[in-house]
Amino acid sequence: MDSEWHCVDMLAGCRRKTSMQPSGLLPLPLTTTSYTMASSSVSAVLSLATLLLLTAPLVRSQPAAAPPAPAGPLNLTAVLVKGGNFNSFIRLLQQTRVDEQLNSQLNNSFNGLTVFAPTDNAFGGLKAGTLNSLSQQEQVELVLYHVLPRYYSLTIFQTASNPLPTQASGKTGVFKLNVTTTTNNQANVSTGVVETPINTPLYSEFPLAVYPVEKVLLPYEIFGPQPPAAAPAPSTKKPNSPPSSSAGEGANSPSEGSTGSGANLKGREVGWSFIAAVGLLGIAAGNLL
């Protein structure tokens, strides 16, 4: 059979056309499925290209997202101010300038800090004149006594060994306190002078933990019973020796001697007078004879 290629158009493609068709079969109609699919693909590509062209300027003009701002240095005073009800403690921190020392340590320490922050009510419970009776050095020690030189969570307190050193301890081994915990995850702090519960932390994220307390922590070294004053040492100076009897005799001898001399003189005068009288009597008797 002779055949030839019959092309409808370039998109639909070409089909072979035969000169003879089998008996009883109708000629196959030309299908447009390929043409429709091709047209849809072209339209989709054109639509996508148009969308990209329209949105490209918007994408280019949108600024890049700014990186998150770095967190500022940790500040204990700011934490207390945000918590409220710590004005007296903040004032004492600033007057002693301990706040500067602690803020610097917070941002340069690998161990962190734990602060027991007395509330304003805690300071109000002190006897009148308690703080004013302290020297400047004792006020600094009082503030540092409320700070532990490492980070303690309530869980860490359960395994801590008492007594715990404070920032006031230094290398002397004094100014320590005790923290005891209970089975319900509660804790108490004791100084030997006062004891108070440790409340829910105001801030607890390494390197800083701040626990409000309802009593000012009074260190035993300042507010504990003071030992009695030592008795004065006996004097090493020897008392003056009383005059000896010989010395007394010697001292009295001149007067006694002088007294004796006066008596002897009087005796001599009496003797001479007696002799003179006898002589006169003898003379008188001779004249009479």
Side-chain angles (χ1 to χ4, degrees):
M1 292 185 298
D2 295 333
S3 64
E4 62 179 0
W5 291 95
H6 176 73
C7 295
V8 178
D9 53 34
M10 295 298 297
L11 293 176
C14 301
R15 298 178 60 199
R16 175 177 291 181
K17 180 180 179 182
T18 59
S19 57
M20 294 181 62
Q21 296 291 341
S23 177
L25 294 178
L26 296 175
L28 293 174
L30 296 176
T31 178
T32 60
T33 302
S34 299
Y35 174 78
T36 303
M37 294 178 60
S39 298
S40 299
S41 300
V42 172
S43 299
V45 171
L46 291 176
S47 299
L48 180 59
T50 303
L51 180 62
L52 291 175
L53 290 174
L54 293 175
T55 57
L58 297 176
V59 174
R60 288 195 300 268
S61 62
Q62 184 177 0
L74 193 57
N75 188 288
L76 172 61
T77 306
V79 172
L80 294 173
V81 170
K82 186 176 180 180
N85 197 29
F86 299 98
N87 296 322
S88 298
F89 189 49
I90 293 173
R91 185 164 53 251
L92 192 57
L93 281 167
Q94 294 174 341
Q95 287 177 352
T96 56
R97 309 194 67 159
V98 173
D99 59 332
E100 299 177 5
Q101 172 188 340
L102 297 181
N103 288 330
S104 175
Q105 187 173 348
L106 271 176
N107 295 281
N108 296 281
S109 173
F110 294 102
N111 296 323
L113 294 175
T114 299
V115 179
F116 297 111
T119 62
D120 290 336
N121 292 334
F123 279 95
L126 293 175
K127 294 181 179 180
T130 298
L131 296 180
N132 293 333
S133 66
L134 302 178
S135 66
Q136 182 69 19
Q137 178 62 27
E138 288 174 334
Q139 290 183 3
V140 171
E141 292 171 340
L142 175 63
V143 177
L144 292 177
Y145 189 68
H146 288 74
V147 184
L148 305 181
R150 60 163 294 184
Y151 172 84
Y152 285 92
S153 65
L154 289 175
T155 303
I156 298 176
F157 275 135
Q158 294 178 354
T159 57
S161 298
N162 288 311
L164 300 178
T166 67
Q167 285 287 88
S169 297
K171 297 181 179 179
T172 59
V174 295
F175 288 97
K176 295 183 178 182
L177 48 76
N178 294 323
V179 174
T180 56
T181 57
T182 60
T183 55
N184 56 353
N185 204 27
Q186 295 294 317
N188 296 328
V189 56
S190 172
T191 71
V193 179
V194 297
E195 182 175 359
T196 183
I198 299 175
N199 294 332
T200 303
L202 176 66
Y203 185 96
S204 182
E205 185 176 347
F206 187 85
L208 176 64
V210 179
Y211 298 96
V213 289
E214 294 301 329
K215 289 184 180 180
V216 178
L217 304 183
L218 304 178
Y220 187 88
E221 287 76 8
I222 298 177
F223 297 94
Q226 300 299 318
S235 175
T236 57
K237 183 179 179 181
K238 295 181 179 180
N240 294 330
S241 301
S244 60
S245 58
S246 59
E249 292 175 357
N252 294 330
S253 58
S255 60
E256 292 176 358
S258 60
T259 303
S261 298
N264 290 336
L265 288 176
K266 289 182 179 180
R268 289 176 183 178
E269 291 177 355
V270 172
W272 284 113
S273 297
F274 179 76
I275 294 172
V278 171
L280 289 176
L281 291 173
I283 294 172
N287 289 331
L288 291 177
L289 294 174

